[in-house]
Every structure is written in C-alpha cells, then in structure tokens.
Amino acid sequence: MSKFQIGLGVSGGIAAYKAVEVMRLLQKSRCEVSVAMTRHATEFVQPLTFRALTDKHVIVDDYDPANPDPIAHINFSQNIDLLLVVPATANIIAKFANGVADDFLSSTYLACTAAVMIAPAMNTTMWEQPATQRNIERLKADGVHFVEPVAGELACKTVGTGKLEDVENIVKQVLALLVQSPKSKVQDREKTTLDIGHETLDLAAERLLITVGGTREAIDPVRYISNYSSGKMGYAVAEAAGARGAEVTVVAGQTTIDTAANVKVFRALSAVEMHDAVMRELPNATIFVGAAAVADYRPANSADAKIKKDGKETMTLELTKTPDILADVAKHRSNGLLVIGFAAETNDVVNYARSKMQKKGLDMVVANDITKEGAGFNTDTNIATIISKDSQIDLPLMPKRELADKILDEILKLRNSNAG
Ligand code: CTP
C-alpha cells in the first residue's frame, strides 16, 4: 500500500514541540514524513529530534554544506502529497501570502504544487491583527487549507484564540484532505487508518447525515402526538462515525439524551421540519442513515388555539400522511450516496425489514424486534439484524454504541464493494 508523502514544515513558535506528536501520528497513519524547519523553529526543538524519528536529513537551510541535496527546496516540494505547516507563525503566514522566499520553508511553499495545509498558533493579538487576517484570507483564496487555532490558555498566560488545534484533530483533517483530494492515492476509496489508541479513522472520507429521535406532531399549541423513541441508537451511530473520522450532521427530533461529541446538530421536531432539514443538508452527504422514528401521520389541521372540551364525550382527530424522509432521500440519491434505514418491528421482523429495503430503495436496513427484552425504545442495548441485498447478519444483545460500530463496519463494506 503506497504511503502518503507529507512535507512537514515547522516554524518558530512555542507549539513547535507539538509538531513532533503530529509527525508520530502521521507516521502511524500510512504517511511518510519529511521535515523542514525554519531557523527560529530550531530554537524550540532540535532538528535531531525529527531526524532521529524520520531517519532523514531535516532541512533548515538550502545552503548548509551538510544538506545532501543541492536543490532541496525543489526536490522536497515536488515529492510530497501535502505540505503541512505546524505550527505556523504569523511571520511564515505573511511570507507565504506575499510570495516571500527568503528561507527554505518559504521557498518550498513557492515551489510547491501539492496541497498545502496550515495550522497556525500564536498570541491572540497577533492572530486578530488585520494584517494576519488579511494574509490568511489571501492564502485561503489561493486554495490553502487551514486548521483553525482554538481558544484556550496560551503560553503567554493570556486566554484567547491562537492555541494550536489538538494534534489528533490536525491529523484527522490532514487525512480527510488526503483521501478526498482529486489527486488522492485512495481513489478506489480504500480507507486510510489512524491509530490513536483504539480509534480508526476509516470513515475520514465520509459525510454522514442522520436523523435521530422521535417526531412530534402538533394537535394544538399544548398537545402533540409522538412515540417512545429516545434517540439513543441514532446518537450512538453519530458518535461512532465522528470518532472514526466522518463529518457528522444530525437532524434531531425529540430525544431523551443530549448531543454526541464532535457532531453538528439541527433540531427538527415534526416530520415535515425533519424532511426539510434533511433535504437541505443532503447535497453535502455521502451516507444517509434514517434512525429517527418518524410519525407516519400528523393531525391534518393543527389548531392555533388550545382545543376545548366543551362537553364533548369523544373527539376525532383527522390525520394525514407525513412525507417518508428515507424513501425521498433514496429517490433523490446521487454520487454514490449510501442510504440506510432502520426497521423497528414487533413480528416477522426480517421479512418486513427486507420488504422495506426494497420498497424504499435502501442499501441496507437495520432491523430489530422491539418486543425482545433489551431491544426496545429508550434502552442502552439492542438486538439487531443487519440486512443488505447479499447478506444478513444476526447480532446478539449488545450496547447500542457497539452495535453502532458494527453498522458502520457494514456500511464501509458496502462502500468498498460498490467502489470495487
Ligand atoms: N422513515 C422516514 N420517514 C417516515 C417514516 C419512516 O424516514 N415518514 C424511516 C425511519 O427513520 C426508518 C424507516 O423509515 O429508518 C422505517 O421506519 P418504520 O416506521 O419502521 O417504517 P415505515 O416506513 O413507517 O413502515 P410501517 O410503519 O408501516 O412499519
């Protein structure tokens, strides 16, 4: 398997030591790293550190007699898939933005045709300076990618924006860029992996859109029709996908739990609102999962004012059909979008689930019998059968978070088989 070639540029800031961690993590993730440092960076970290870990000469100065390559900035820049600068000071950003090439790293930038990603780190005032912001805007317009700095306590003991983004997040963004880039070596969508403990970034190329929770259909301003869905299964899938590097967007109805980490959440309480939110977000998605328990019917006329009893012994609500979000998504799919549904059933589970898959035009359906102990609504566990055109996997009782990973494993298999 060919490795990604990363040119890691290190400029002179206190966060330079974190470039070592970035380099180690890249090396564990199918990347071969060559390092270039500015003179000031060597005040913070010794080139020897990078040399010992890459087994390569670390270039600081083209003209250094110890440099084995006489035209290093050309060769270095032509042989990489990505030039990554960690940390990037205001000075190196200014040089890149203005085409100044007075040292090895800035000359390399000018000579570089590969993608460029910059992770700035600096004092808040320097970051907020109009000059710095102007340079960043210019570079963005030139197609340079940025890993934005975050807010936090800085080395100068002030609190504000300018802190280098977490090392893991930098590497996630690097890998996402590499696998998505048109020049990518993984055009067959064979995924790259990142080894952070148990975490695997095998979904870095995917953008997951998922509905979670139950919908609420208003009868009047104080009453509604809903169901027992908690959103736990959907949020488990969202969280697992985020942990595996996917960009995750959740459209959430009524839920009993809060949002998962690292995901974007839009609230959409009724089936119609959920449908609108999904259709708005869909063009950006590569995978759609319908995990919400969407009401099939809503009151035909939701009253504007509270409905009064007025001595009536019975009351009839007229219901009208809601849009089938999942079926609509499948109907409008394009560009290899994978569409996955859930089927919560009380009997004849697999047959009903299979027919749902066919009727709605799905790639996969996750079926469960909600009458089984440990598989119903609002539990932390589930017992599921994952069904696709060619396979059926019956899974035992397990935590929803574990099931979420199994579902994602199967989605990935589908992706790879579709690509092959
Ligand atoms: N679903 C949807 N929009 C709807 C109804 C269902 O997106 N209006 C999705 C659910 O999110 C789930 C799948 O369709 O992924 C199956 O939902 P389910 O309620 O089990 O099936 P229905 O199609 O509603 O069929 P039935 O109620 O007859 O079993």
Side-chain angles (χ1 to χ4, degrees):
M1 208 186 304
S2 64
K3 285 189 164 188
F4 292 112
Q5 299 295 329
I6 310 287
L8 176 63
V10 185
S11 65
I14 190 75
Y17 73 96
K18 293 200 183 153
V20 181
E21 292 174 40
V22 169
M23 184 198 62
R24 294 301 278 164
L25 216 42
L26 286 169
Q27 287 175 324
K28 287 183 183 174
S29 313
R30 275 188 56 199
C31 296
E32 191 169 329
V33 185
S34 309
V35 179
M37 301 177 77
T38 64
R39 177 79 51 211
H40 284 150
T42 66
E43 302 287 340
F44 294 93
V45 182
Q46 286 282 318
L48 184 62
T49 308
F50 291 106
R51 187 174 152 195
L53 296 168
T54 58
D55 211 14
K56 287 187 201 158
H57 179 75
V58 173
I59 310 166
V60 178
D61 178 1
D62 277 53
Y63 308 107
D64 182 350
N67 185 353
D69 183 352
I71 41 170
H73 65 278
I74 303 293
N75 290 333
F76 185 97
S77 60
Q78 300 305 306
N79 293 319
I80 53 179
D81 299 304
L82 175 77
L83 176 62
L84 171 70
V85 184
V86 181
T89 58
N91 185 42
I92 201 75
I93 289 171
K95 286 195 204 176
F96 284 8
N98 292 286
V100 176
D102 65 350
D103 64 1
F104 179 72
L105 184 53
S106 49
S107 311
T108 295
Y109 172 75
L110 271 194
C112 182
T113 52
V116 179
M117 187 174 254
I118 290 182
M122 67 193 77
N123 158 278
T124 307
T125 312
M126 294 174 83
W127 169 253
E128 287 173 350
Q129 268 304 331
T132 304
Q133 290 302 317
R134 211 165 40 234
N135 289 333
I136 288 168
E137 285 316 309
R138 262 198 198 181
L139 286 174
K140 282 184 180 167
D142 291 343
V144 171
H145 302 268
F146 275 82
V147 181
E148 299 287 329
V150 293
E153 191 182 336
L154 305 175
C156 52
K157 300 281 180 267
T158 56
V159 176
T161 302
K163 198 172 149 65
L164 189 76
E165 173 60 288
D166 281 349
V167 166
E168 283 86 358
N169 284 341
I170 294 174
V171 175
K172 275 186 188 181
Q173 292 190 38
V174 166
L175 296 178
L177 181 69
L178 286 169
V179 287
Q180 280 165 16
S181 141
K183 291 191 215 155
S184 174
K185 292 183 174 159
V186 282
Q187 268 159 357
D188 57 350
R189 300 191 79 109
E190 158 206 295
K191 299 301 180 295
T192 187
T193 59
L194 168 64
D195 180 8
I196 310 172
H198 297 298
E199 203 174 296
T200 304
L201 265 199
D202 51 1
L203 291 170
E206 305 288 353
R207 294 183 298 278
L208 172 76
L209 176 62
I210 182 166
T211 59
V212 311
T215 60
R216 261 187 199 177
E217 310 301 332
I219 298 171
D220 68 15
V222 291
R223 304 174 180 99
Y224 58 80
I225 301 172
S226 191
N227 55 62
Y228 292 111
S229 174
S230 60
K232 284 182 179 173
M233 190 64 241
Y235 269 131
V237 174
E239 191 176 281
R244 290 166 68 160
E247 191 183 309
V248 181
T249 303
V250 174
V251 177
Q254 174 175 288
T255 61
T256 59
I257 59 160
D258 249 347
T259 64
N262 287 331
V263 302
K264 199 188 317 166
V265 181
F266 294 105
R267 288 270 159 207
L269 282 177
S270 69
V272 169
E273 284 166 358
M274 196 174 263
H275 181 267
D276 291 351
V278 165
M279 290 306 159
R280 187 189 66 224
E281 296 301 315
L282 193 61
N284 189 41
T286 60
I287 302 170
F288 176 80
V289 177
V294 186
D296 293 323
Y297 295 91
R298 65 179 170 81
N301 302 298
S302 150
D304 292 335
K306 186 180 173 196
I307 300 171
K308 292 292 178 191
K309 285 194 284 299
D310 288 337
K312 282 183 275 184
E313 282 310 308
T314 61
M315 181 185 169
T316 307
L317 266 184
E318 194 190 339
L319 302 178
T320 183
K321 227 158 173 211
T322 57
D324 190 319
I325 303 169
L326 188 60
D328 248 17
V329 166
K331 218 187 311 166
H332 294 106
R333 68 188 336 146
S334 59
N335 299 330
L337 178 81
L338 293 174
V339 185
I340 293 92
F342 275 77
E345 307 289 347
T346 54
N347 57 301
D348 212 1
V349 178
V350 171
N351 281 337
Y352 274 131
R354 267 201 190 280
S355 82
K356 256 174 212 175
M357 184 169 81
Q358 272 146 18
K359 254 194 278 179
K360 299 197 190 198
L362 311 179
D363 296 296
M364 200 174 99
V365 65
V366 182
N368 60 339
D369 181 343
I370 49 165
T371 62
K372 279 194 192 154
E373 174 126 18
F377 291 113
N378 216 357
T379 56
D380 291 320
T381 54
N382 208 345
I383 307 166
T385 302
I386 302 178
I387 302 165
S388 61
K389 195 159 62 78
D390 307 315
S391 78
Q392 175 178 330
I393 303 168
D394 295 300
L395 295 166
L397 178 78
M398 64 178 70
K400 284 182 171 169
R401 183 61 173 76
E402 197 179 323
L403 175 59
D405 271 319
K406 300 250 180 264
I407 295 168
L408 293 171
D409 290 345
E410 294 311 309
I411 292 177
L412 208 49
K413 278 190 208 157
L414 273 182
R415 169 66 79 216
N416 290 333
S417 69
N418 285 1

